[in-house]
Amino acid sequence: MYCNLGSGQFENICMSIIILPVMMVVLKRMQGAANDDDSSVTELHWYKVIESWLDNQGIDVKDIDFDSEGENSALAIAQIIFENPIKKAFEELKKINS
């Protein structure tokens, strides 16, 4: 179902309700691994790719805040990673309703 909806007119809506929350969980897992110096996670390819992207943005995974809504919040970081999917989802909804 996601394959069908995620590649059509509902792409950003699906991104916002499925992928964005998953990325927040991934960031939480990354932070836990970084804080615990868990090399079984920090040495994984996906971890290194996301960490590199965060580093290029000047974001340290240890500084991501899961308890607030500020610029370092997990939601804000996930929004940056996926280039504002919530805003894009609302734009999609507006087009659908027009």
Side-chain angles (χ1 to χ4, degrees):
M1 183 168 145
Y2 174 76
C3 291
N4 293 334
L5 294 174
S7 62
Q9 69 179 2
F10 301 112
E11 177 181 0
N12 290 302
I13 294 169
C14 289
M15 177 72 74
S16 295
I17 63 173
I18 299 170
I19 305 300
L20 188 71
V22 169
M23 179 53 75
M24 292 171 64
V25 172
V26 167
L27 293 171
K28 182 70 171 174
R29 178 74 171 115
M30 289 178 69
Q31 187 179 70
N35 287 338
D36 296 341
D37 198 27
D38 183 355
S39 63
S40 69
V41 176
T42 60
E43 294 300 317
L44 295 172
H45 179 71
W46 64 264
Y47 183 99
K48 291 179 180 183
V49 169
I50 297 170
E51 182 182 47
S52 175
W53 187 92
L54 292 171
D55 287 344
N56 288 337
Q57 302 300 312
I59 301 167
D60 186 334
V61 70
K62 292 180 180 181
D63 294 334
I64 297 174
D65 188 350
F66 292 88
D67 297 321
S68 75
E69 298 176 9
E71 66 181 31
N72 283 337
S73 72
L75 177 59
I77 302 302
Q79 280 274 94
I80 292 168
I81 290 170
F82 293 121
E83 300 175 349
N84 297 310
I86 293 175
K87 178 183 176 189
K88 291 175 184 176
F90 280 112
E91 291 169 354
E92 277 182 4
L93 288 171
K94 187 176 179 180
K95 286 179 189 176
I96 292 167
N97 288 325
S98 296

